[in-house]
Amino acid sequence: MAEGALERTLVLVKPDGVKRGLMGPILHRFESKGLKVVAARLLQVTPELAARHYAEHEGKPFYPGLVQHITSGPVLALEGRTAIAVVRLMTGATNPQTAAPGTIRGDYGLAITPNLVHASDSPASAERELGLYFRAEDYLAYTRSDEKFL
Ligand code: CMP
């Protein structure tokens, strides 16, 4: 990671990831890479929250299935301090069938709607999305013992 200011990002382990028992393996990848988890919630996404989160996709052919899936079970929401671009690289292409091996979607998935994870795609998206899932008091500040290397 290029040295510089760390960014805050939202990562969701979607219902397929939770129900397949992949919260641990997915979180392990991000933690090992150096993502610092500063807030976490296991929650049921409501249709209202899904509509706000995915407002930019409303009207697209895949939108109904996207909302149906994200509301179909618990999601693990993580707020991390890291580089947004690094998390997106680790997540892989939206379609797991073309996502590179070594990425989360490339290693664990086959289908585009249950594609395991969501990760904010820019600082502006991260700020908007984090505001949907976390309140200021959910954020916890602490020091990782390896921060000087990351
Ligand atoms: P996500 O990163 O959560 O952002 C939008 C989601 O829409 C995407 O992951 C996919 O799960 C889902 N999706 C389903 N079909 C498509 C498609 N054809 N193109 C893009 N996203 C899709």
Side-chain angles (χ1 to χ4, degrees), residues 14 54 57 62 66 88 94 105 112-115 117-119:
K14 296 185 181 185
Y54 285 122
H57 297 300
F62 60 83
L66 173 59
R88 293 278 295 182
T94 302
R105 290 169 176 159
I112 193 168
T113 297
N115 65 351
V117 279
H118 168 83

Side-chain angles (χ1 to χ4, degrees), residues 14-16 19 44-51 54 61-75 113-114:
K14 296 185 181 185
D16 53 309
K19 291 178 179 176
Q44 172 69 45
V45 175
T46 62
E48 293 72 28
L49 176 55
Y54 285 122
F62 60 83
Y63 180 78
L66 173 59
V67 171
Q68 195 285 326
H69 177 60
I70 203 73
T71 59
S72 67
V75 304
T113 297

Side-chain angles (χ1 to χ4, degrees), residues 3 7 21 30 41 46 49 54 71 73 77-78 82 91 96 102 106 114 126:
E3 289 182 41
E7 300 163 318
F30 289 125
R41 286 178 70 198
T46 62
L49 176 55
Y54 285 122
T71 59
L78 304 168
T82 183
T91 300

Side-chain angles (χ1 to χ4, degrees), residues 1 6-7 26-38 80-83 86-87 90 142 144 146-150:
M1 183 170 75
L6 291 175
E7 300 163 318
I26 290 169
L27 180 56
H28 178 67
R29 289 179 179 224
F30 289 125
E31 274 196 298
S32 302
K33 181 71 172 171
L35 175 142
K36 181 177 179 180
V37 178
V38 292
R81 287 191 72 219
T82 183
V86 171
V87 170
M90 294 174 71
Y142 64 100
R144 274 179 61 143
D146 55 3
E147 272 180 32
K148 59 181 176 292
F149 303 116
L150 296 170

Side-chain angles (χ1 to χ4, degrees), residues 25 38 66 76 78 89 99 122-123 136 143 145:
V38 292
L66 173 59
L76 176 66
L78 304 168
L89 271 176
S122 67
T143 304
S145 62

Side-chain angles (χ1 to χ4, degrees), residues 10-15 18-19 23 39-50 53 69-79 129-130 132-134 138:
L10 173 75
V11 173
L12 297 181
V13 180
K14 296 185 181 185
V18 173
K19 291 178 179 176
M23 283 189 289
R41 286 178 70 198
L42 188 67
L43 74 147
Q44 172 69 45
V45 175
T46 62
E48 293 72 28
L49 176 55
H53 180 155
H69 177 60
I70 203 73
T71 59
S72 67
V75 304
L76 176 66
L78 304 168
E79 177 172 350
E129 293 171 1
L130 287 169
L132 296 175
Y133 287 87
F134 294 107
D138 295 326

